[in-house]
Amino acid sequence: MSPDVLSFYVLRRVLEDLAVDVNAIMHEHTRDEDDAETLDILSRFVLPALDQAEQDCRSVGQVVPPH
């Protein structure tokens, strides 16, 4: 697998999580408590995972040699 393909899947996973949570806040939640819980999940888990995924993608070329 090429470094670019691996990076794509690393970022895709966390971006899917982000999209689900943002969609829930914008379209599904009807109570402020639901939004607060989702925002907590975003700040504690999803955004740090996105930051880590970006770092992982920058270093993936060192772990996976290009084809």
Side-chain angles (χ1 to χ4, degrees), residues 3 6-7 55-66:
L6 181 58
S7 294
Q55 293 175 24
D56 292 345
C57 288
R58 283 193 294 272
S59 63
V60 75
Q62 298 170 5
V63 178
V64 178

Side-chain angles (χ1 to χ4, degrees), residues 10-60:
V10 166
L11 284 172
R12 179 181 172 188
R13 176 68 250 154
V14 72
L15 290 173
E16 285 175 345
D17 290 342
L18 179 62
V20 166
D21 290 334
V22 169
N23 183 60
I25 290 170
M26 295 184 70
H27 303 289
E28 296 173 11
H29 292 170
T30 57
R31 300 179 313 134
D32 289 341
E33 294 83 12
D34 294 335
D35 286 346
E37 184 177 320
T38 301
L39 288 170
D40 182 54
I41 290 169
L42 280 168
S43 66
R44 288 182 28 198
F45 301 107
V46 177
L47 295 178
L50 180 58
D51 186 47
Q52 183 62 47
E54 291 173 352
Q55 293 175 24
D56 292 345
C57 288
R58 283 193 294 272
S59 63
V60 75

